[in-house]
Amino acid sequence: MPWLYFTLKPRHRAWAEAWQKEVQDNLRELETVEIAEGCFISPDAHLFAEPGRPIRIIGPGVSIAANTFVHGPVVLEAGVSLNARVSLDGGASGIHIGEGSRIATGATLYAFDHGLAPDRAVREQPVTSRGIVLGKDVWVGANAGITDGVRLGDHAVVGMGAVVTRDVPPWAIVAGVPARVIGDRRERRRSGTPSASWSPPDDSEQ
């Protein structure tokens, strides 16, 4: 639950920051990893960044939960959240996730693909990589999948279990397999506005 780290009271903050420094320094020693100040990385996260395939966490407030798998090249901007069991593989061209984007539990982003020619086994097929780019304030739902070459515009939402195989416009809400546009966030009810379909119970006669 990495979000708890960012809400710690001052008396707990000192030991927690020292613990995170140890975790992050260990990653820097073992992998080609850049980590900005003010981030949280679970000691049970799996980050792999050999030379030429770096992981760059370039802004504060990034959180990486337990049992995530991250293989560079990957860039995470400020405030990005990777929840438990998220899997990112940057292939050769990389994954770039914009500021404030949230990736829910079990989502998978793979920035590479295998050929399908019938004259050779799958294991012998050439591998291609075009990269994946998520804009800022994107929400990818639990167990969703995003395939190589896809670009998601700012403020887009991917529904739970969707498989995204083509670009998603800014503000679009997509769902299904393969994913298709089912709505626009700008048409949703504004925060703090009561829903027209619900009203509080009338207890004036009680």
Coordinates of all heavy atoms in Angstrom, one line a residue, residues 23-41 47-50 53-60 62 64 70 72-78 96:
V23 N 16.5 1.0 0.3 CA 15.9 0.2 -0.8 C 16.4 0.8 -2.1 O 16.8 0.1 -3.1 CB 14.4 0.2 -0.7 CG1 13.8 -0.4 -2.0 CG2 13.9 -0.6 0.5
Q24 N 16.3 2.1 -2.3 CA 16.6 2.8 -3.5 C 18.1 2.8 -3.9 O 18.5 2.6 -5.0 CB 16.0 4.2 -3.5 CG 14.5 4.2 -3.5 CD 13.9 5.6 -3.4 OE1 14.5 6.5 -3.8 NE2 12.6 5.6 -2.8
D25 N 18.9 3.0 -2.8 CA 20.4 2.9 -3.1 C 20.8 1.5 -3.5 O 21.7 1.4 -4.4 CB 21.1 3.3 -1.8 CG 21.1 4.8 -1.5 OD1 20.7 5.5 -2.4 OD2 21.5 5.2 -0.4
N26 N 20.1 0.5 -3.0 CA 20.4 -0.9 -3.5 C 20.1 -1.0 -4.9 O 20.9 -1.7 -5.7 CB 19.7 -1.9 -2.6 CG 20.1 -3.3 -2.9 OD1 21.3 -3.6 -2.9 ND2 19.1 -4.1 -3.2
L27 N 19.0 -0.5 -5.4 CA 18.6 -0.6 -6.8 C 19.6 0.2 -7.6 O 20.0 -0.3 -8.7 CB 17.2 0.0 -7.0 CG 16.0 -0.9 -6.6 CD1 14.7 -0.1 -6.6 CD2 15.9 -2.1 -7.5
R28 N 20.0 1.3 -7.2 CA 20.9 2.1 -8.0 C 22.3 1.4 -8.2 O 22.9 1.5 -9.2 CB 21.2 3.5 -7.3 CG 20.0 4.4 -7.3 CD 20.4 5.8 -6.8 NE 19.2 6.7 -6.7 CZ 18.5 6.9 -5.6 NH1 18.9 6.3 -4.5 NH2 17.5 7.7 -5.6
E29 N 22.6 0.6 -7.1 CA 23.9 -0.1 -7.2 C 23.8 -1.3 -8.1 O 24.8 -1.6 -8.8 CB 24.3 -0.6 -5.8 CG 25.6 -1.3 -5.7 CD 25.9 -1.7 -4.3 OE1 25.3 -1.3 -3.3 OE2 26.8 -2.6 -4.1
L30 N 22.6 -1.9 -8.2 CA 22.5 -3.2 -9.0 C 22.0 -2.9 -10.4 O 22.3 -3.7 -11.3 CB 21.5 -4.1 -8.3 CG 21.9 -4.6 -6.9 CD1 20.7 -5.4 -6.3 CD2 23.1 -5.5 -7.0
E31 N 21.2 -1.9 -10.6 CA 20.6 -1.7 -11.9 C 20.9 -0.3 -12.5 O 21.3 0.6 -11.8 CB 19.1 -1.8 -11.8 CG 18.6 -3.2 -11.2 CD 18.9 -4.4 -12.1 OE1 19.0 -4.2 -13.3 OE2 18.9 -5.5 -11.6
T32 N 20.6 -0.1 -13.8 CA 20.7 1.2 -14.4 C 19.4 2.0 -14.1 O 18.6 2.1 -15.0 CB 21.0 1.1 -15.9 OG1 22.1 0.1 -16.1 CG2 21.4 2.4 -16.5
V33 N 19.3 2.5 -12.9 CA 18.1 3.2 -12.5 C 18.4 4.6 -12.0 O 19.3 4.8 -11.3 CB 17.5 2.3 -11.3 CG1 16.3 3.0 -10.7 CG2 17.1 0.9 -11.8
E34 N 17.5 5.5 -12.4 CA 17.5 6.9 -11.9 C 16.2 7.1 -11.1 O 15.1 6.8 -11.6 CB 17.5 7.8 -13.1 CG 17.3 9.3 -12.8 CD 17.2 10.2 -14.0 OE1 17.6 9.7 -15.1 OE2 16.7 11.3 -13.8
I35 N 16.3 7.5 -9.9 CA 15.2 7.7 -9.0 C 15.2 9.1 -8.4 O 16.1 9.5 -7.7 CB 15.2 6.7 -7.9 CG1 15.3 5.2 -8.4 CG2 13.9 6.8 -7.0 CD1 15.6 4.2 -7.3
A36 N 14.1 9.9 -8.7 CA 14.0 11.2 -8.2 C 13.7 11.2 -6.6 O 13.4 10.1 -6.1 CB 12.8 11.9 -8.9
E37 N 13.9 12.3 -6.0 CA 13.6 12.4 -4.6 C 12.1 12.2 -4.3 O 11.3 12.6 -5.2 CB 14.1 13.8 -4.0 CG 15.6 14.0 -4.0 CD 16.3 13.0 -3.0 OE1 15.7 12.8 -2.0 OE2 17.4 12.6 -3.3
G38 N 11.7 11.7 -3.2 CA 10.3 11.7 -2.8 C 9.5 10.6 -3.4 O 8.3 10.8 -3.7
C39 N 10.1 9.5 -3.7 CA 9.4 8.4 -4.4 C 9.4 7.2 -3.4 O 10.1 7.1 -2.4 CB 10.1 8.0 -5.7 SG 10.0 9.2 -6.9
F40 N 8.5 6.2 -3.7 CA 8.4 5.0 -2.9 C 8.5 3.8 -3.9 O 7.8 3.7 -4.9 CB 7.0 4.9 -2.2 CG 6.8 3.6 -1.5 CD1 7.2 3.5 -0.1 CD2 6.3 2.5 -2.1 CE1 7.1 2.3 0.5 CE2 6.1 1.3 -1.5 CZ 6.5 1.2 -0.1
I41 N 9.4 2.9 -3.5 CA 9.5 1.6 -4.2 C 9.5 0.5 -3.3 O 10.3 0.4 -2.3 CB 10.8 1.6 -5.1 CG1 10.9 2.8 -6.0 CG2 11.0 0.3 -5.8 CD1 12.2 2.9 -6.8
L47 N 12.6 -4.7 -10.4 CA 13.1 -3.7 -11.4 C 14.3 -4.2 -12.1 O 15.3 -4.6 -11.4 CB 13.4 -2.3 -10.8 CG 12.2 -1.4 -10.6 CD1 11.1 -2.0 -9.7 CD2 12.6 0.0 -10.1
F48 N 14.3 -4.3 -13.4 CA 15.4 -4.8 -14.2 C 15.8 -3.8 -15.3 O 15.0 -3.4 -16.1 CB 15.1 -6.1 -14.9 CG 14.6 -7.2 -13.9 CD1 13.3 -7.5 -13.6 CD2 15.6 -8.0 -13.2 CE1 12.9 -8.4 -12.7 CE2 15.2 -8.9 -12.3 CZ 13.9 -9.2 -12.1
A49 N 17.0 -3.3 -15.2 CA 17.5 -2.2 -16.1 C 18.9 -2.4 -16.4 O 19.8 -1.7 -15.8 CB 17.2 -0.9 -15.4
E50 N 19.2 -3.3 -17.3 CA 20.6 -3.5 -17.7 C 21.1 -2.3 -18.6 O 20.2 -1.5 -19.0 CB 20.7 -4.8 -18.5 CG 20.0 -4.8 -19.8 CD 18.6 -5.5 -19.7 OE1 18.0 -5.4 -18.6 OE2 18.1 -6.1 -20.7
R53 N 19.1 -0.2 -21.3 CA 17.6 -0.3 -21.0 C 17.3 0.2 -19.6 O 16.9 -0.5 -18.7 CB 17.2 -1.8 -21.1 CG 17.4 -2.4 -22.5 CD 16.8 -3.7 -22.7 NE 15.3 -3.6 -22.6 CZ 14.5 -4.6 -23.0 NH1 15.0 -5.8 -23.5 NH2 13.2 -4.5 -22.9
P54 N 17.5 1.5 -19.5 CA 17.4 2.2 -18.1 C 16.0 2.3 -17.7 O 15.0 2.3 -18.5 CB 18.1 3.5 -18.3 CG 17.8 3.8 -19.8 CD 17.9 2.5 -20.5
I55 N 15.8 2.4 -16.4 CA 14.5 2.9 -15.8 C 14.8 4.2 -15.2 O 15.6 4.4 -14.3 CB 14.0 1.9 -14.7 CG1 13.7 0.5 -15.3 CG2 12.8 2.4 -14.0 CD1 13.4 -0.6 -14.3
R56 N 14.0 5.2 -15.7 CA 14.2 6.6 -15.2 C 12.9 7.1 -14.5 O 11.9 7.2 -15.2 CB 14.5 7.5 -16.4 CG 15.8 7.1 -17.1 CD 16.1 8.0 -18.3 NE 16.3 9.4 -17.8 CZ 15.7 10.4 -18.4 NH1 14.9 10.3 -19.5 NH2 15.9 11.6 -17.9
I57 N 13.0 7.3 -13.3 CA 11.9 7.9 -12.5 C 12.3 9.3 -12.3 O 13.1 9.7 -11.4 CB 11.8 7.1 -11.1 CG1 11.5 5.6 -11.4 CG2 10.6 7.7 -10.3 CD1 11.5 4.8 -10.2
I58 N 11.7 10.2 -13.1 CA 12.2 11.6 -13.3 C 11.4 12.6 -12.5 O 11.7 13.8 -12.6 CB 12.2 11.9 -14.7 CG1 10.8 11.9 -15.4 CG2 13.2 11.0 -15.5 CD1 10.8 12.4 -16.8
G59 N 10.5 12.2 -11.7 CA 9.7 13.2 -10.8 C 9.4 12.6 -9.5 O 9.4 11.4 -9.3
P60 N 9.1 13.5 -8.5 CA 8.7 13.1 -7.2 C 7.3 12.4 -7.2 O 6.5 12.6 -8.1 CB 8.7 14.4 -6.4 CG 8.4 15.4 -7.4 CD 9.1 15.0 -8.6
V62 N 6.4 9.3 -7.3 CA 6.1 8.0 -7.9 C 6.1 6.9 -6.9 O 6.8 6.9 -5.9 CB 7.3 7.7 -9.0 CG1 7.2 6.3 -9.5 CG2 7.2 8.8 -10.1
I64 N 5.7 2.6 -6.6 CA 5.8 1.3 -7.2 C 5.5 0.2 -6.2 O 6.3 0.1 -5.2 CB 7.2 1.1 -7.9 CG1 7.4 2.2 -8.9 CG2 7.3 -0.3 -8.5 CD1 8.8 2.1 -9.6
V70 N 9.1 -4.4 -13.8 CA 9.4 -3.3 -14.6 C 10.8 -3.6 -15.3 O 11.8 -3.7 -14.6 CB 9.5 -2.0 -13.9 CG1 9.8 -0.8 -14.8 CG2 8.2 -1.7 -13.1
G72 N 13.3 -2.1 -18.3 CA 13.5 -0.9 -19.1 C 13.7 -1.2 -20.6 O 13.7 -2.4 -20.9
P73 N 13.7 -0.2 -21.4 CA 13.6 1.2 -21.0 C 12.2 1.7 -20.7 O 11.3 1.5 -21.4 CB 14.2 1.9 -22.3 CG 13.9 1.0 -23.4 CD 13.9 -0.4 -22.9
V74 N 12.2 2.3 -19.5 CA 10.9 2.9 -19.0 C 11.2 4.2 -18.4 O 12.2 4.4 -17.7 CB 10.3 1.9 -17.9 CG1 9.1 2.6 -17.2 CG2 9.8 0.6 -18.5
V75 N 10.3 5.2 -18.6 CA 10.3 6.5 -18.0 C 9.0 6.8 -17.3 O 7.9 6.6 -17.9 CB 10.6 7.6 -19.1 CG1 10.5 9.0 -18.4 CG2 11.9 7.4 -19.8
L76 N 9.1 7.1 -16.0 CA 8.0 7.4 -15.2 C 8.1 8.9 -14.7 O 9.0 9.3 -14.1 CB 7.9 6.5 -14.0 CG 7.9 5.0 -14.2 CD1 7.9 4.2 -12.9 CD2 6.8 4.6 -15.1
E77 N 7.1 9.7 -15.1 CA 7.1 11.1 -14.7 C 6.5 11.2 -13.3 O 6.0 10.2 -12.7 CB 6.3 11.9 -15.7 CG 7.0 12.0 -17.1 CD 6.3 13.0 -18.0 OE1 5.5 13.8 -17.5 OE2 6.6 13.0 -19.2
A78 N 6.5 12.4 -12.8 CA 6.1 12.7 -11.4 C 4.7 12.2 -11.1 O 3.8 12.3 -11.9 CB 6.1 14.2 -11.1
H96 N 6.8 5.2 -21.9 CA 6.9 6.5 -21.3 C 5.5 6.8 -20.7 O 4.5 6.8 -21.4 CB 7.3 7.6 -22.3 CG 7.6 8.9 -21.6 ND1 8.8 9.5 -21.7 CD2 6.8 9.7 -20.9 CE1 8.8 10.7 -21.0 NE2 7.6 10.8 -20.5

